[in-house]
Amino acid sequence: MVLVLLPTLVGTPAPATGRGLSPPAPPAFDHELLAKATPDECFVGIGLPYPAGPPCAQGQAKVNQAYVWSLAKADNRLWFGTGANVNCIVTGATLSLPTPRMTDDYVCEFAESQVVKQNPTMPVSVGDHRQPRAFVYDLSAGALTEKTSDITSASPDDLSRLRRTLGLRAGGTHQGVVLLAGPALGATVNMFAFDTATGEYLGSANFTKYGNIRHFLVADDALYAGVGVGPNGRDGGYILRWAGDRDDPFNFVEVGQLPAQVADLESHDGRVFVSTWSAAGGSSSAAAATRPDPDAVPVHVGVVPTDQADPGIAGVWMSPRLRDGEPGLTAEDSGQWTQVWSAASYEPDPIIAGSYGLGALASYGGYLYWGTMHVPMKSTAMVAEAYPPMNETAARTTLERSQRAVSIFRGRRFGTALENTELLYGQAVLPAYNPTADYGVGAWQWALTGYRPKYGRMGFGNIYNNYTWTMAVSDGKLFVGTMDWSYLAKDLLPQAALEMGFRGAATRLSDGLNPITIDPELYGGDLWMFDSTRRRATAVNAQGLGNNLNYGYRTMVADGSTLYLGMANPMNLRTDPTDDVPEGGWELIRLTPAGG
């Protein structure tokens, strides 16, 4: 089965090339597997009780812990927290497809899970939830220590909080304290603290005001966090500044309030910049109103005050200067943030614009870099709901034309007359649905984005590169880690067609339409590297760094010329070390220059 790319990249004008110096030979790096998830459950079938083990006298071993979802370094130790069965949770909660399914690679039970059967109040969309785990890896000793029992044995409240945490999604360290935090059932946030020097557990707290958290940032000797409000942050977001210490580790001050939840944070040019995710469902009318002028290349949103930004569209936001007034951001800065870029200034389809998220940010060579995020099939579902396909051919077209891959941007001199934003990897034109075309029947049409890509196509040329998950600067180079959903697509594409009501739309349609198949060479997340602001990126590895079931680089920490990488791998049934398929479950990897 071979199809290099979905047709969204076929037929579009070639990107500008020759601008910028050619990249050097592909870089050489060594990678070392430091730790990996191990099987933690036995499975005999959907809806059936879980036998004792592992080892499993009945059924097969299953590995639920899927992501290194948070990662932080302090005192020559790596602290990290996990997320279990995240692929199932996203499918159920974000895509609203809680139908039990099982493949050779993974199982999602949803309502049939024993967790739901034993806890009837558990939402079926997150029925595959399992308690996350906390670890510390001692780099000097090369030893992994699990810290989960430190939490669960501390008190009934600590045990309950961890059990109700969907995953430890954010990790940060400052002044001898490490914080691991994540969204919890009930649209709240749970946070757990440890002493970085002694490893002592310092306690936990529940934040009822917030519903999501993804990242921490240290800027000018202050620790910040970005959060969302409501389920999956659909009701806005805040930037928090840590005002705590070892004795009071859960003291935060709100120093920014935004109409959308915060995804990532970065320090750049004396300010804090954040990326956001759109509110649930997006805002089609607002996106259409801000569609770019096709004659202006490039286009940027300019500085938009907080109260004028569309919460349905993902964007990049800029804080006041950190050194204005008191050092760092304070409560007085809360309403002074401005939006400097919006996804609606690039995406010509107003419905698809509302499906965008923004991911990692990095300050490199005087520029702020950022990239887009696209939940697999979310944009397709939104378009199909607004404009239901009339037949299988139309469903296939919607499937192909509504998909997006990561686009990489950079900008500088924000808020000045010299402000400039460039598209590095993306498209000059994209398909947009026009409901008034063909005398009101509606049709997909090519539309200008308002940008010309400097180096290459979206997804670094691979339509399945859907998340700009991580960025980090190491040894004078900028590394970008993606999620690549090609391995999942062979299952999700037919499922999406079925949800639209067309059984054959993703496999074989009427005569003359070829099936969508995927080149196995695409499997596994990508790691790309810019070694200069003047050259295009080169691929460090495009196949999951030794395990093509690693579909993404979920966390990344730089230490000189070394990168520590937390991988995402939700293939919970791939646990047989004797077969010819790699194993599922999270991995912690060290990457170093070859011969270094």
Side-chain angles (χ1 to χ4, degrees):
M1 298 191 302
V2 176
L3 177 78
V4 176
L5 298 174
L6 279 174
T8 25
L9 293 188
V10 177
T12 59
T17 57
R19 290 190 285 164
L21 301 177
S22 298
F29 289 87
D30 296 325
H31 67 272
E32 176 186 2
L33 181 64
L34 301 180
K36 182 168 179 58
T38 57
D40 52 13
E41 196 169 270
C42 297
F43 176 78
V44 292
I46 290 177
L48 299 178
Y50 309 130
C56 302
Q58 294 178 283
Q60 66 180 104
K62 183 186 178 195
V63 55
N64 290 295
Q65 302 299 321
Y67 287 17
V68 176
W69 222 1
S70 54
L71 181 63
K73 181 178 179 293
D75 299 322
N76 211 35
R77 297 183 181 95
L78 297 173
W79 292 84
F80 64 97
T82 68
N85 297 325
V86 182
N87 175 46
C88 300
I89 291 174
V90 171
T91 301
T94 303
L95 295 179
S96 300
L97 299 174
T99 303
R101 63 177 59 90
M102 179 177 172
T103 72
D104 291 338
D105 301 299
Y106 66 89
V107 60
C108 297
E109 295 186 277
F110 299 113
E112 297 300 314
S113 167
Q114 296 302 303
V115 174
V116 174
K117 292 182 177 182
Q118 296 169 15
N119 301 274
T121 60
M122 172 76 74
V124 299
S125 60
V126 294
D128 294 273
H129 164 69
R130 301 294 188 273
Q131 175 182 289
R133 296 185 174 185
F135 296 88
V136 60
Y137 185 88
D138 189 311
L139 292 166
S140 298
L144 180 72
T145 302
E146 184 164 359
K147 305 294 287 185
T148 309
S149 63
D150 293 28
I151 300 172
T152 58
S153 63
S155 75
D157 284 345
D158 292 278
L159 172 62
S160 176
R161 285 183 186 128
L162 190 63
R163 283 180 173 174
R164 293 181 60 81
T165 303
L166 286 174
L168 295 171
R169 199 177 196 178
T173 65
H174 194 49
Q175 296 179 349
V177 175
V178 60
L179 299 170
L180 300 176
L185 296 170
T188 64
V189 165
N190 286 334
M191 196 173 296
F192 307 86
F194 293 85
D195 185 301
T196 61
T198 66
E200 179 186 354
Y201 176 59
L202 302 178
S204 66
N206 174 250
F207 296 81
T208 59
K209 184 174 181 178
Y210 313 123
N212 201 9
I213 184 169
R214 296 186 74 246
H215 284 286
F216 289 92
L217 166 73
V218 175
D220 280 11
D221 200 35
L223 178 69
Y224 299 93
V227 298
V229 180
N232 200 29
R234 70 184 183 192
D235 299 323
Y238 289 91
I239 297 90
L240 310 179
R241 177 176 175 168
W242 191 54
D245 55 27
R246 190 185 184 282
D247 296 323
D248 183 18
F250 306 111
N251 186 359
F252 289 87
V253 177
E254 293 173 353
V255 297
Q257 182 176 5
L258 303 181
Q261 71 167 317
V262 178
D264 206 347
L265 309 90
E266 177 64 309
S267 175
H268 173 73
D269 195 25
R271 304 175 188 264
V272 172
F273 286 77
V274 304
S275 59
T276 66
W277 287 354
S278 65
S283 176
S284 301
S285 60
T290 55
R291 185 177 297 181
D293 177 354
D295 295 324
V297 182
V299 182
H300 60 77
V301 72
V303 174
V304 177
T306 304
D307 60 357
Q308 296 180 24
D310 178 10
I313 305 297
V316 177
W317 292 77
M318 176 178 72
S319 78
R321 289 199 172 275
L322 297 178
R323 292 300 178 183
D324 290 351
E326 295 184 38
L329 300 174
T330 67
E332 287 70 28
D333 296 313
S334 184
Q336 304 305 310
W337 291 67
T338 52
Q339 189 181 57
V340 297
W341 189 83
S342 165
S345 70
Y346 169 65
E347 172 58 57
D349 187 291
I351 292 178
I352 297 175
S355 74
Y356 274 56
L358 295 184
L361 304 161
S363 180
Y364 178 64
Y367 292 90
L368 180 73
Y369 287 69
W370 68 91
T372 62
M373 297 182 70
H374 309 273
V375 175
M377 308 312 302
K378 180 179 179 181
S379 54
T380 297
M382 291 172 64
V383 173
E385 181 180 6
Y387 305 110
M390 300 292 291
N391 51 47
E392 288 189 351
T393 301
R396 172 66 174 263
T397 302
T398 295
L399 192 68
E400 295 171 349
R401 299 295 172 89
S402 62
Q403 290 298 294
R404 299 292 187 262
V406 300
S407 294
I408 306 296
F409 295 83
R410 72 181 180 191
R412 58 180 173 174
R413 305 188 186 100
F414 295 102
T416 74
L418 299 176
E419 178 179 334
N420 180 48
T421 300
E422 297 178 293
L423 174 64
L424 303 184
Y425 288 87
Q427 301 298 116
V429 298
L430 284 168
Y433 191 80
N434 182 352
T436 66
D438 289 350
Y439 302 99
V441 174
W444 289 92
Q445 298 176 337
W446 294 105
L448 292 170
T449 65
Y451 290 86
R452 290 178 183 149
K454 188 177 181 69
Y455 295 140
R457 300 187 188 276
M458 65 181 179
F460 296 99
N462 173 6
I463 188 63
Y464 298 103
N465 267 328
N466 61 304
Y467 286 177
T468 310
W469 241 348
T470 48
M471 290 186 182
V473 177
S474 173
D475 195 27
K477 305 172 181 65
L478 172 61
F479 292 83
V480 180
T482 75
M483 174 187 170
D484 176 339
W485 69 289
S486 57
Y487 195 81
L488 294 177
K490 64 185 187 299
D491 302 315
L492 289 183
L493 288 172
Q495 181 66 27
L498 286 173
E499 292 295 327
M500 287 191 287
F502 302 108
R503 183 172 299 277
T507 53
R508 60 176 60 84
L509 293 166
S510 55
D511 294 342
L513 287 177
N514 295 324
I516 292 176
T517 53
I518 300 165
D519 186 349
E521 292 296 315
L522 296 176
Y523 296 162
D526 292 12
L527 182 64
W528 291 80
M529 184 193 77
F530 293 92
D531 72 346
S532 165
T533 60
R534 301 177 62 199
R535 283 191 280 260
R536 58 180 59 92
T538 54
V540 176
N541 185 277
Q543 294 180 316
L545 209 59
N547 182 343
N548 64 14
L549 301 187
N550 290 336
Y551 68 16
Y553 295 78
R554 181 59 188 85
T555 47
M556 185 185 297
V557 170
D559 182 19
S561 61
T562 298
L563 276 180
Y564 295 102
L565 306 166
M567 309 301 286
N569 181 339
M571 309 306 166
N572 55 28
L573 295 182
R574 287 300 185 184
T575 58
D576 184 355
T578 66
D579 64 17
D580 59 355
V581 179
E583 277 63 67
W586 61 259
E587 296 185 354
L588 180 66
I589 294 175
R590 175 163 47 204
L591 185 80
T592 54

